[in-house]
Amino acid sequence: MQTKLPKISEKRIALHVSRVAERAIRSGHPWLFENAILKQSHQGKMGDLAVIFNKDRKFLGIGLFDPESIIRVRILRALKPATINQQFFEEKLRTAHQHRALLCDSDHTNGYRMVHGENDGMPGIVIDRYAETAVIKLYTPAWIPHLNDVVAALKNIFPFERIVLRLSGNLKENKYNLFDGMILDGKMLIDPIIFLENGLKFEADPQKGQKTGFFLDQRENRARVEELAKGKSVLNVFSYTGGFSVYAGRGGAKEVISLDASKVATDVAKRNFSLNQPASIMESTVHTIVTGDAFDAMTKMKKKGRLFEMVIIDPPSFAHKKSQVEGAIRAYKKLTRLGVEILAPNGILVQASCSSRVDSELFFDSIHLAARQAGRQLNEIERSEHALDHPIGFPEGEYLKCLFATAR
Ligand code: SAH
């Protein structure tokens, strides 16, 4: 380990919690909220181990303490005591690894999610693999004192060249900022990493890129786009580094436009397309970049009478809290309207949402409604949710949904 990280306190915090929290823990929920704590042994520090008891002093679980979040404890083990150490994490990693055997053993894919937080029994931490690089992303700083153990465990599962640390957006704004992009182990990163997804090459920048460098959760939806793209003109809205575009190219699309507000992202999209172009059918696909606001660009295309045979809309999360859900639905509907207005008769609309706050049914209904209001009827081809490496183990964990439909 090349970096000094804070050490774990020897002293554990004892917490006594309400009956409501007890029921949630017994049913397997991984979070203990601040307002459920009735008694706390001492103040404690970020990342201390917290031992949770019910009102009758019966053991309920052990987890990581975060004094700065309303999710006060992320539970590592419920109902059965455990020693939280390297071996404990190694067992979790091994189980997660086995669950992904189909991906881990593939010659075509070496970029995928190794650990999906709560859903793999490691709440508040995500680990993505990009070829020989692992990227650990934290959603709570409570993991920081445990990273030595996690890194040692990870190296026993796979001989990574390097392990990079990333922090979620809300943590980057404060004193934890210095940890974001840190190399926890192994070689410095000089050039972007090239990894494989379904045999296609992509570049990722795990130190500065969005998420951990790539949107690994869309792999299967991208493969579906490839199957549907033959001979089509495709508009990929919110393209980021061109994931959907490259698949559409391999699927035989005649034209692909990647549209995103970030120039860094569209520059990479251009490179990702070229990385794959020489060796395949993509040679004949014309790929164009548009850097700008999605709503403005689509409106301009509509005014010009531009029509596509496939429009893919995969925006960022519009709802981080409950109060933003209404606004998010309005934005999704506006995007659907704009999308179908530039869609040729019987063209395909692919629209996704990554907001866990937005319920799937509400999302799909809103798309249908918006399309009807724009005078188009959608015939569904498919609805998709989470892939194998993004399992869902609790209600709040569900976030991704995507609709494939033709517009009459
Ligand atoms: N579809 C992508 C992931 C999209 S993430 C993939 O498969 O990899 C959301 C993207 O939306 C980001 O790249 C972000 O730069 C872009 N974005 C956010 N707001 C935007 C806007 N108003 N107009 C265009 N792009 C925007």
Side-chain angles (χ1 to χ4, degrees):
M1 173 97 33
Q2 293 160 346
T3 10
K4 267 206 158 161
L5 296 167
K7 291 234 159 53
I8 312 166
S9 299
E10 291 294 319
K11 205 167 155 197
R12 294 168 170 209
I13 305 169
L15 300 174
H16 290 83
V17 302
S18 68
R19 291 282 182 223
V20 176
E22 176 178 358
R23 272 198 294 279
I25 295 172
R26 285 192 186 283
S27 72
H29 201 283
W31 296 340
L32 174 70
F33 289 96
E34 163 197 25
N35 60 8
I37 299 173
L38 306 175
K39 220 163 80 187
Q40 180 168 336
S41 59
H42 60 280
Q43 200 180 2
K45 285 202 323 286
M46 180 65 82
D48 281 358
L49 288 170
V51 186
I52 306 165
F53 300 94
N54 73 2
K55 279 182 158 177
D56 311 320
R57 297 167 186 266
K58 276 221 175 82
F59 174 86
L60 288 178
I62 183 162
L64 301 179
F65 184 74
D66 180 347
E68 293 166 16
S69 166
I70 57 160
I71 307 174
R72 193 50 48 95
V73 180
R74 312 230 175 193
I75 299 167
L76 292 166
R77 169 69 76 81
L79 307 176
K80 227 167 84 188
T83 306
I84 307 302
N85 54 16
Q86 179 186 329
Q87 197 191 337
F88 177 87
F89 296 130
E90 208 167 309
E91 273 168 32
K92 297 272 181 202
L93 293 175
R94 228 170 265 289
T95 308
H97 192 63
Q98 282 157 4
H99 176 77
R100 291 156 174 80
L102 275 175
L103 290 168
C104 308
D105 302 335
S106 153
D107 295 337
H108 303 284
T109 299
N110 61 13
Y112 55 87
R113 177 146 297 180
M114 295 183 73
V115 172
H116 190 44
E118 281 70 0
N119 313 289
D120 280 306
M122 293 179 74
I125 192 169
V126 148
I127 306 178
D128 286 345
R129 175 183 168 195
Y130 294 101
E132 314 307 315
T133 295
V135 188
I136 296 180
K137 182 153 180 180
L138 303 185
Y139 291 83
T140 163
W143 277 98
I144 293 174
H146 302 271
L147 284 175
N148 283 317
D149 284 340
V150 174
V151 166
L154 198 52
K155 285 166 72 179
N156 282 345
I157 303 282
F158 191 90
F160 284 110
E161 252 177 33
R162 73 179 64 73
I163 299 174
V164 181
L165 180 62
R166 295 296 303 271
L167 263 65
S168 85
N170 58 322
L171 302 178
K172 272 190 262 183
E173 286 152 22
N174 58 29
K175 57 184 184 258
Y176 303 107
N177 183 33
L178 66 128
F179 292 104
D180 190 51
M182 183 183 260
I183 305 277
L184 289 173
D185 190 81
K187 296 183 198 161
M188 294 294 290
L189 193 60
I190 297 159
D191 297 315
I193 292 167
I194 308 287
F195 69 97
L196 284 174
E197 194 187 81
N198 286 324
L200 289 165
K201 288 184 195 154
F202 289 100
E203 136 180 355
D205 178 352
Q207 281 180 299
K208 294 201 202 80
Q210 295 189 37
K211 280 221 167 176
T212 56
F214 199 67
F215 288 79
L216 295 168
D217 51 1
Q218 289 285 16
R219 183 184 58 252
E220 292 181 1
N221 289 333
R222 286 194 271 260
R224 192 78 179 104
V225 160
E226 175 177 358
E227 288 168 8
L228 297 167
K230 197 167 176 58
K232 295 195 169 62
S233 55
V234 179
L235 175 66
N236 179 10
V237 188
F238 304 101
S239 65
Y240 187 49
T241 54
F244 281 104
S245 306
V246 174
Y247 276 76
R250 189 169 66 176
K254 61 173 189 267
E255 178 197 5
V256 182
I257 298 181
S258 299
L259 163 60
D260 199 281
S262 155
K263 177 154 181 353
V264 177
T266 49
D267 283 348
V268 180
K270 212 183 285 178
R271 291 201 292 276
N272 277 338
F273 216 88
S274 311
L275 267 178
N276 294 283
Q277 214 157 19
S280 71
I281 164 176
M282 288 170 68
E283 226 165 326
S284 53
T285 310
V286 180
H287 181 228
T288 319
I289 293 298
V290 177
T291 307
D293 177 69
F295 295 87
D296 290 351
M298 290 168 90
T299 307
K300 273 190 202 139
M301 287 171 181
K302 180 187 143 194
K303 281 192 184 140
K304 282 191 188 155
R306 209 37 257 261
L307 287 181
F308 297 89
E309 282 140 345
M310 183 189 284
V311 175
I312 303 159
I313 305 173
D314 177 29
S317 172
F318 291 136
H320 299 286
K321 14 183 201 194
K322 212 172 159 189
S323 58
Q324 295 170 330
V325 170
E326 245 183 73
I329 293 291
R330 266 199 306 277
Y332 289 132
K333 286 170 74 178
K334 185 160 185 194
L335 286 168
T336 306
R337 271 198 300 279
L338 286 167
V340 295
E341 278 165 355
I342 51 173
L343 203 54
N346 297 315
I348 297 176
L349 175 73
V350 180
Q351 190 168 349
S353 159
C354 61
S355 305
S356 65
R357 297 271 176 192
V358 175
D359 165 79
S360 299
E361 285 304 317
L362 177 61
F363 174 67
F364 293 129
D365 288 351
S366 305
I367 295 181
H368 278 287
L369 178 64
R372 271 199 305 278
Q373 283 168 346
R376 304 290 288 271
Q377 191 193 316
L378 295 179
N379 290 342
E380 292 198 13
I381 302 170
E382 188 178 331
R383 293 177 178 200
S384 72
E385 290 184 344
H386 290 260
L388 169 83
D389 54 337
H390 290 70
I392 299 309
F394 73 125
E396 294 87 338
E398 221 167 286
Y399 70 97
L400 191 64
K401 47 254 172 209
C402 185
L403 182 75
F404 295 77
T406 53
R408 272 202 264 162

